Amino acid sequence: MNIGRIIREIEVLPEEEPLQVPEDQPTTPEPTQPEPVRRPVPA
Amino acid sequence: MTFDRIECVIGEIRGFRWWHVTPRGWLRSPWHGMGRWEVGDNIAGCVRPNRCYQPPLDHHAEGSPDIHCACGFYALHDVPTGPHGNVYNVWEIAAATSGTSQGLVFGVAAAHGHILVGTTGWRAEVARVVALYAGLEVRGTRRANAAGRRYDVPVYGNLHALVAEWGPESEDLVGTAP
């Protein structure tokens, strides 16, 4: 087998699939609710 | 021989090549190793020290294809039309004979990863089956159709249609070479 004289060396990177994000789905996480302050319970 | 600069390209390159086709539609590399092509991407490994046996060896530090070896998946820039002059190249079988009694089927492969581009073809690290040409004989057509179903690729009965739809844009690779 013969591909002739080698004239180039290349790195071919496959095109990546675009990230599919539904329109109604937020891309950033919702801010988390602060935890309620626990009051000390009298003994 | 080494290249100072490895160019980066996005996408994939295509080329023409032959496969051995089994009655059940499996495609194999016909001349070295007889390695079976899987559906989807195939990753090359050098089989030079034991060409007749599988699995392939990975003895090149940078993987396959190695510029000093003959390994990698092969394909041609142009459709072979038959042997020319005294230079015998096993690839130079007329594409019109695809699917005849020699048990070979002609088609198009696509490649990515590390690729060595030559004046008449390329050697690649990763390759897959893209399209096949069934030829004119009934048995060849049957086998090519079985391969088409197995690899989920189109099978053409007209060589010009295959070339028009899937032929490589080899000028992009060869024409601007240093």
Side-chain angles (χ1 to χ4, degrees):
Chain A
M1 285 182 287
N2 188 0
I3 59 168
R5 181 174 57 87
I6 295 175
I7 53 177
R8 298 175 86 171
E9 186 173 16
I10 60 177
E11 189 74 26
V12 180
L13 307 173
E15 290 184 58
E16 292 188 3
E17 295 284 328
L19 190 61
Q20 298 289 331
V21 179
E23 288 182 6
D24 59 350
Q25 181 177 324
T27 55
T28 54
E30 293 285 342
T32 54
Q33 295 288 332
E35 287 192 18
V37 178
R38 288 188 177 183
R39 297 178 181 228
V41 178
Chain B
M1 175 184 171
T2 56
F3 291 87
D4 296 333
R5 186 169 58 94
I6 298 179
E7 302 165 65
C8 281
V9 178
I10 301 294
E12 62 182 11
I13 67 170
R14 293 193 296 272
F16 300 106
R17 62 161 292 135
W18 291 98
W19 287 273
H20 176 260
V21 58
T22 72
R24 301 184 69 177
W26 285 109
L27 299 176
R28 293 180 177 276
S29 295
W31 290 292
H32 291 311
M34 288 293 284
R36 189 175 85 182
W37 285 55
E38 301 300 333
V39 176
D41 286 344
N42 293 264
I43 300 173
C46 183
V47 296
R48 188 159 195 158
N50 59 343
R51 279 183 168 169
C52 297
Y53 303 100
Q54 296 290 331
L57 302 177
D58 282 323
H59 61 272
H60 297 309
E62 301 295 326
S64 180
D66 185 274
I67 200 166
H68 302 291
C69 189
C71 55
F73 293 114
Y74 281 64
L76 300 171
H77 300 315
D78 299 307
V79 175
T81 54
H84 299 285
N86 296 322
V87 179
Y88 177 69
N89 182 348
V90 291
W91 286 67
E92 291 295 336
I93 302 170
T97 65
S98 180
T100 56
S101 56
Q102 22 83 325
L104 302 177
V105 65
F106 185 75
V108 175
H112 65 268
H114 183 210
I115 298 175
L116 300 172
V117 180
T119 51
T120 59
W122 46 256
R123 288 196 276 136
E125 176 188 9
V126 185
R128 65 185 174 91
V129 184
V130 167
L132 300 170
Y133 169 52
L136 302 175
E137 291 191 6
V138 172
R139 191 178 73 162
T141 301
R142 195 181 303 133
R143 288 189 178 194
N145 285 335
R149 287 191 297 274
R150 184 176 292 285
Y151 291 87
D152 193 23
V153 298
V155 178
Y156 288 78
N158 181 307
L159 182 58
H160 297 294
L162 172 86
V163 175
E165 188 72 24
W166 299 101
E169 296 166 0
S170 55
E171 304 80 23
D172 293 343
L173 290 172
V174 181
T176 58

